[in-house]
Amino acid sequence: MYGVVVMKKIIEKVKRFYNENDKKAFIVFVLLRILVIICLIRELINGNFESVLFCILTLFLFIVPYISEKIFKIDFPSCLEIIVLIFIFSAEILGEINNFYGTVPFWDNALHTVNGFLCGSIGFSLIYLLNQKTKFMKLSPVFVALFSFCFSMTVGIVWEMFEYGMDVFFLTDMQKDTVIDTVATVGLRSDGGMTVLRDISAVTVNGQLLSVDGYLDIGLHDTMKDLIVNFIGASVFSIIGYFYVKRKGKGRFAARFIPRVHRKQDNQTKDE
């Protein structure tokens, strides 16, 4: 009897969640959630408890947009919400648990590009909504776009600092090494002159020959590539945001990625 009551409450909450959200985003949310739960059960059976934690984290991150809408009284466009959900699934489940970062070329770069775009959207929304609510000051489209870009790049830099800290203190190798065959350095000469090593085919460390055809750059190239693609994603959205503000909120394409004030608040404003 108690189980029936619990199931009814769960069904009611699901129906309410379905009615309060875009139908397409809801379907994507449910499908991805089912896949994560299946992955969680599989990793639990295999005894991969670290992967289980990633699954639990993913399930929590899935509801962050919904919680944000409730707290900040804003509506996420369905297109933006779907991109966020797929991004979380791609980063945590496919990237971390299924090792797409190591097996799929440019997977990490693609996600960092999307991350730059999404963070640009968040930064833009913060300043744009504030600009709408503020009567005594109106910000120019250039400033709003610039803030969006700087916000996205700051998030990207902070993330790279986090990866560096994890590598230094916990030896995680989040900043993946890149094998290169040319090194330019001033650290090999006492007079500070430049030394260029070309066509590096092998490196020996403590008398042991590394099984790589070149030199490991210990994460520098990975970090810079991440920041460059983050720059691209941030720049793209900043340009979109600029024209969105310039046209005073007109344009269907930009509206798909920019949260707006909650509809209930809009209706109340119209009534007043």
Side-chain angles (χ1 to χ4, degrees):
M1 189 68 180
Y2 178 75
V4 175
V5 175
V6 173
M7 285 300 299
K8 286 183 178 179
K9 290 183 178 180
I10 293 175
I11 292 174
E12 290 177 359
K13 289 183 179 180
V14 171
K15 287 182 178 179
R16 191 182 308 116
F17 185 78
Y18 177 79
N19 293 328
E20 292 178 354
N21 290 270
D22 183 86
K23 306 306 180 278
K24 294 179 181 179
F26 177 81
I27 292 173
V28 173
F29 176 86
V30 171
L31 290 176
L32 293 181
R33 197 176 183 87
I34 291 173
L35 291 175
V36 174
I37 292 175
I38 292 174
C39 182
L40 188 152
I41 296 173
R42 183 193 67 185
E43 299 303 321
L44 193 61
I45 294 174
N46 293 333
N48 299 326
F49 298 110
E50 182 179 351
S51 297
V52 171
L53 292 177
F54 274 114
C55 292
I56 295 174
L57 174 63
T58 302
L59 292 174
F60 170 75
L61 292 176
F62 277 167
I63 64 174
V64 169
Y66 177 74
I67 295 174
S68 300
E69 286 183 328
K70 292 295 183 182
I71 294 176
F72 299 107
K73 305 300 181 182
I74 58 177
D75 283 327
F76 282 101
S78 59
C79 184
L80 177 63
E81 195 168 351
I82 290 173
I83 292 176
V84 170
L85 294 175
I86 294 177
F87 173 79
I88 295 171
F89 182 82
S90 300
E92 301 297 334
I93 303 302
L94 298 180
E96 294 291 347
I97 296 179
N98 293 283
N99 194 31
F100 274 39
Y101 288 125
T103 58
V104 179
F106 306 111
W107 185 262
D108 185 53
N109 291 336
L111 289 183
H112 275 281
T113 305
V114 175
N115 179 70
F117 185 89
L118 292 177
C119 288
S121 170
I122 295 172
F124 179 88
S125 301
L126 291 174
I127 194 68
Y128 180 69
L129 294 178
L130 177 64
N131 194 33
Q132 282 187 317
K133 294 180 180 179
T134 304
K135 296 181 179 180
F136 62 87
M137 180 179 65
K138 292 299 179 182
L139 303 176
S140 68
V142 174
F143 182 87
V144 175
L146 182 62
F147 179 89
S148 169
F149 172 80
C150 293
F151 181 88
S152 178
M153 290 304 300
T154 300
V155 173
I157 291 171
V158 171
W159 176 255
E160 294 303 320
M161 291 169 62
F162 170 75
E163 287 190 348
Y164 173 76
M166 293 295 292
D167 290 349
V168 171
F169 296 107
F170 299 100
L171 304 178
T172 57
D173 194 28
M174 294 187 69
Q175 295 176 301
K176 297 296 185 291
D177 301 331
T178 303
V179 179
I180 56 179
D181 60 6
T182 302
V183 173
T185 177
V186 295
L188 297 179
R189 292 173 53 176
S190 58
D191 60 356
M194 180 68 68
T195 299
V196 180
L197 305 176
R198 304 180 187 276
D199 300 324
I200 302 173
S201 59
V203 174
T204 302
V205 177
N206 294 333
Q208 181 180 357
L209 182 65
L210 301 183
S211 58
V212 293
D213 298 327
Y215 172 76
L216 290 177
D217 80 307
I218 57 173
L220 176 61
H221 280 252
D222 179 72
T223 298
M224 293 310 302
K225 286 179 181 177
D226 291 346
L227 292 177
I228 290 171
V229 296
N230 192 102
F231 174 90
I232 294 173
S235 299
V236 169
F237 190 88
S238 296
I239 294 172
I240 294 174
Y242 169 81
F243 286 105
Y244 184 80
V245 179
K246 190 75 172 178
R247 296 170 182 172
K248 298 181 179 180
K250 297 180 180 179
R252 294 182 179 179
F253 180 77
R256 296 176 181 177
F257 306 103
I258 299 174
R260 65 184 185 87
V261 179
H262 202 279
R263 294 170 185 171
K264 291 182 179 179
Q265 290 187 343
D266 290 345
N267 294 333
Q268 291 177 358
T269 303
K270 290 179 181 179
D271 295 336
E272 292 175 359

